[in-house]
Every structure is written in structure tokens, then in C-alpha cells.
């Protein structure tokens, strides 16, 4: 069994995928636009003119897969109540990834050493997705 995050970007999915590609080396494994759907969406479920918006995408970030869409939250953009955790090999990578994700976002807890990690910090990226970046201590 797996649990996979599914992020809804309310019209900014393609922009977010480009950002994660640059910041994290994310690879889009699959992307379908609303106009490519074999079925018409139920009336009122997507805004007019959204044919080129992302209906569904599957994105690999390291060993994990995150799914994403433009739909599902057009009336409530933003994220709350969870964070994605990015576990990295060392403090140098933590610094690099933290800075990339924080670009245009908000640092919630600066990256620094803790009792459990050589580097740990929290941020909300420019899309409002909250991240925890961590390089664990060995042993």
C-alpha cells in the first residue's frame, strides 16, 4: 500500500511543475490536459477556458511520486494542515534545496542544526505548499 500526495494548484499547476523541475530536479512522468480527457467534465466543475490547464500530472521527485492538478480547488487556493518532507543526503544539499524552494516563498523556520538533524528548516514555497527540509544526523 502507498499514500501519495495529490496537490491541487487552482490554475498554476504547470508553473508549479516548472518550479519543482528547477528546484528539485522533478520529472513529469505523465501529464494530461482537460482538453485531452476522453469524457466531458460535469458541468460547473472546471472554469471556462481551462482546456489547456492540467487535469492530472504524475511527478517523480527523487524516489517519490507526487500527483498534481489545476482542478479541485479553484475556489480555495492554498494549502494547510500538512507539509511535504524533503530528506536529503547532507547539509550542503539541504542548503541548496531549501534556498531553491524558498525563492519567492516564506521561510517559516530557518535552516539550521537541531538535536536530530545536521540541517532542518521549514518553509512555504511560492505556491503555498509547506516543506520541511532535513539532513539527518548519522547514527
Amino acid at each position: 500500500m502507498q499514500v501519495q500526495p495529490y496537490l491541487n494548484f487552482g490554475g498554476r499547476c504547470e508553473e508549479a511543475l516548472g518550479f519543482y523541475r528547477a528546484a528539485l530536479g522533478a520529472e513529469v512522468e505523465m501529464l494530461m490536459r482537460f482538453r485531452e480527457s476522453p469524457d466531458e467534465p460535469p458541468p460547473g466543475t472546471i472554469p471556462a477556458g481551462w482546456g489547456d490547464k492540467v487535469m492530472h500530472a504524475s511527478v517523480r521527485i527523487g524516489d517519490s511520486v507526487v500527483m498534481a492538478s489545476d482542478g479541485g480547488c479553484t475556489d480555495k487556493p492554498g494549502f494547510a494542515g500538512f507539509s511535504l518532507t524533503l530528506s536529503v543526503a547532507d547539509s550542503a544539499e539541504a542548503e541548496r534545496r531549501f534556498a531553491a524552494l524558498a525563492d519567492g516563498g516564506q521561510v517559516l523556520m530557518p535552516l539550521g542544526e537541531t538535536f536530530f538533524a545536521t540541517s532542518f528548516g521549514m518553509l512555504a514555497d511560492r505556491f503555498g505548499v509547506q516543506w520541511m527540509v532535513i539532513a539527518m544526523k548519522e547514527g
Side-chain angles (χ1 to χ4, degrees), residues 15 17 24 33 39 65 72 76-78 85 97 102 105 119 125 137:
E15 179 186 352
L17 297 179
L24 302 174
R33 299 184 186 285
D39 297 327
V65 174
K76 296 180 187 175
T85 301
R97 301 299 187 182
S119 292
D125 70 23
K137 288 185 175 177

Side-chain angles (χ1 to χ4, degrees), residues 11-135:
R12 298 181 67 195
C13 188
E14 195 153 6
E15 179 186 352
L17 297 179
F19 175 72
Y20 297 136
R21 204 176 288 122
L24 302 174
E27 298 175 39
V28 176
E29 295 183 328
M30 181 274 187
L31 188 142
M32 177 182 270
R33 299 184 186 285
F34 284 103
R35 66 174 157 71
E36 298 169 332
S37 175
D39 297 327
E40 286 290 318
T45 58
I46 63 165
W50 271 39
D52 285 330
K53 296 291 186 181
V54 177
M55 183 175 88
H56 174 75
S58 179
V59 183
R60 179 165 297 282
I61 302 173
D63 295 329
S64 301
V65 174
V66 175
M67 293 179 274
S69 175
D70 275 313
C73 69
T74 56
D75 61 339
K76 296 180 187 175
F79 294 87
F82 75 96
S83 296
L84 298 179
T85 301
L86 186 65
S87 298
V88 298
D90 55 41
S91 292
E93 185 178 3
E95 288 177 26
R96 193 172 82 252
R97 301 299 187 182
F98 190 88
L101 287 168
D103 183 28
Q106 178 185 5
V107 173
L108 304 173
M109 178 182 171
L111 193 64
E113 186 171 357
T114 67
F115 70 92
F116 58 88
T118 59
S119 292
F120 177 78
M122 299 185 299
L123 62 99
D125 70 23
R126 64 179 67 173
F127 302 98
V129 177
Q130 292 190 21
W131 292 85
M132 293 186 285
V133 178
I134 186 168

